[in-house]
Amino acid sequence: MALVLTEEQAMLRDSARGLIGDKAPVSHLRHLRDSSDATGFSRELWQTFAEMGFCGLLVGEQFGGSGLGCVEAGVVMEEIGRNLVPSPFLATAVLAACALARAGSAAQQSEHLPKIADGSRLAALAVDEGTKHRPLMTKMRAVRSGNGFRLDGDKAFVVDGHTADLLIVAARTAGSPGEVDGLTLFLVDPKSRGIEIERTVMVDSHNAARIRFDNVEVNADGVLGEVDQGGGVLEGVLNIGRGAVACEMVGVAEGAFGRTVSYLRERRQFGKAIGEFQALQHRAAQLYIEIEITRAAVLKALQALDTDIANAASAVAVAKARAGSTATLAVQEGVQMHGGMGMTDAFDIGFFMKRARVCQELFGDANFHADQLARMRGY
């Protein structure tokens, strides 16, 4: 399969680029940060996303969506990354939509997917419990109680968890931390008794939450998929999320690169633009090459997710690891080429550096995925 967008995908990219560039440039993030906005994103922009069909890209047509694939969702994620837009798109339109589409019962899909597609329901995936992404190390327990379960434990780094109308929670119904078997996914109302949610504004001014579950009752209808068999579903959903975050990091790298090149053209020293100095030209050219190679690797992973998700893990690991390294290089080069002023809040390049660092950790950093790839290949 050619590593280029189709005509329809290119049209979607242009549509997303025009909307986001106009409605939510980096100054939009700065305004939300400086105003201490309680939500942390624009609900008006989210409704526009829904009207444009972005919220339902991964939702089937029978539920009001477009029934498209990961490549199309990645196109939107790249534009989100290019402009550093705080948005529940990843948590709701990608992770939650895929989890429900892949494992939800007919009743669960009918209840939630149409509302995700029209933008009226926000959701969040609660997996990680520590400072690092280790989904198999889930310790949170789900104990049988009556016709359902009681959830007890803590979740951290729940992306956009503070505004969610629905939580998809990974808990252990059997086995021990580190085992694939024994994980179960639950649909939980965040207003249920025993849930405490603490918003945590991250270093990049985006949103996450810590969530405490204190003997939270969930009935049997809240089980997503099969009891004890949620590990496979979770891994598939996480791989889709990893591909989406890799796309966002390509956008972050591209955004940082574009601002850096503009600065090289504008900043003058010794009577000429600093972009005329050959050393900086070489560094910019090398960065451009790295971004384009990473873009191809990420697109390959998304295509694999759309055509054969069961065998896409290695392509996703390569894409996520490489995207993290490339985004890190892009923001570091950007700050250095801006000089000391690049570290000040007056320049937007610092926002890109912070977002790249958070995305690097989200769903596994480069080291995590290098280790995953090595294990898959028998090392």
Side-chain angles (χ1 to χ4, degrees):
M1 187 177 294
L3 296 178
V4 293
L5 298 179
T6 65
E7 183 178 350
E8 291 78 11
Q9 290 163 352
M11 290 174 62
L12 175 63
R13 176 200 61 199
D14 294 341
S15 176
R17 183 170 298 177
L19 171 66
I20 295 173
D22 180 50
K23 300 290 187 181
V26 180
S27 57
H28 172 72
L29 172 64
R30 187 184 291 272
H31 171 73
L32 289 171
R33 182 201 66 175
D34 293 346
S35 64
S36 299
D37 185 270
T39 302
F41 67 91
S42 169
R43 289 190 180 272
E44 181 181 354
L45 178 63
W46 181 244
Q47 192 55 46
T48 303
F49 267 39
E51 293 167 0
M52 294 285 287
F54 296 165
C55 298
L57 286 176
L58 297 177
V59 175
E61 294 181 8
Q62 69 273 33
F63 299 114
S66 304
L68 297 176
C70 294
V71 174
E72 287 79 10
V75 164
V76 176
M77 284 297 297
E78 183 173 336
E79 298 310 313
I80 286 174
R82 187 189 303 273
N83 293 276
L84 306 181
V85 183
S87 167
F89 182 82
L90 173 65
T92 298
V94 176
L95 296 170
C98 287
L100 286 161
R102 288 175 56 78
S105 66
Q108 290 168 340
Q109 291 176 348
S110 297
E111 179 181 359
H112 300 296
L113 287 177
K115 294 179 180 179
I116 287 176
D118 67 18
S120 62
R121 176 153 297 173
L122 301 177
L125 180 66
V127 178
D128 289 319
E129 299 175 359
T131 57
K132 286 288 187 178
H133 178 63
R134 298 290 185 270
L136 293 184
M137 296 307 295
T138 296
K139 298 178 182 178
M140 181 175 178
R141 284 287 174 183
V143 180
R144 288 192 179 274
S145 175
N147 71 334
F149 294 84
R150 283 186 290 107
L151 305 183
D152 190 68
D154 298 293
K155 295 293 181 180
F157 203 13
V158 181
V159 177
D160 291 307
H162 69 299
T163 57
D165 305 305
L166 175 70
L167 296 173
I168 301 176
V169 183
R172 190 162 289 285
T173 46
S176 303
E179 297 179 0
V180 176
D181 293 337
L183 288 175
T184 304
L185 298 178
F186 296 91
L187 301 180
V188 182
D189 183 347
K191 297 183 177 64
S192 300
R193 179 180 296 180
I195 294 181
E196 297 179 9
I197 300 177
E198 177 192 359
R199 179 189 178 190
T200 55
V201 180
M202 295 183 288
V203 66
D204 62 347
S205 302
H206 284 60
N207 304 290
R210 296 188 184 94
I211 305 180
R212 168 66 182 165
F213 297 81
D214 184 9
N215 291 318
V216 176
E217 297 281 349
V218 180
N219 62 35
D221 293 336
V223 175
L224 183 65
E226 300 294 328
V227 175
D228 296 342
Q229 302 301 313
V233 174
L234 178 61
E235 183 64 12
V237 172
L238 286 174
N239 277 335
I240 292 171
R242 289 159 182 158
V245 175
C247 280
E248 182 176 358
M249 286 194 285
V250 170
V252 169
E254 185 75 29
F257 177 72
R259 281 166 171 74
T260 301
V261 170
S262 295
Y263 184 76
L264 295 180
R265 290 170 177 161
E266 297 167 0
R267 180 76 167 97
R268 299 186 68 82
Q269 194 171 15
F270 305 114
K272 60 181 180 180
I274 62 174
E276 296 182 40
F277 295 112
Q278 194 173 57
L280 294 182
Q281 290 176 353
H282 286 171
R283 290 169 67 176
Q286 183 62 41
L287 178 55
Y288 174 80
I289 292 169
E290 291 295 323
I291 292 173
E292 290 305 307
I293 293 174
T294 298
R295 191 193 307 279
V298 172
L299 181 54
K300 177 68 174 178
L302 296 179
Q303 291 173 346
L305 287 167
D306 282 335
T307 57
D308 186 12
I309 190 171
N311 296 305
S314 60
V316 171
V318 169
K320 181 63 166 64
R322 184 170 182 92
S325 299
T326 299
T328 299
L329 175 64
V331 297
Q332 288 177 344
E333 288 287 80
V335 168
Q336 288 190 19
M337 292 188 202
H338 276 76
M341 292 184 294
M343 292 301 296
T344 69
D345 194 59
F347 282 80
D348 289 339
I349 194 70
F351 284 94
F352 286 87
M353 174 170 275
K354 293 170 184 175
R355 184 57 184 164
R357 189 69 191 92
V358 170
C359 286
Q360 173 79 279
E361 292 293 330
L362 185 56
F363 304 143
D365 60 12
N367 291 331
F368 174 89
H369 289 289
D371 179 71
Q372 292 287 95
L373 188 62
R375 291 175 185 274
M376 280 184 265
R377 295 184 176 178
Y379 290 99

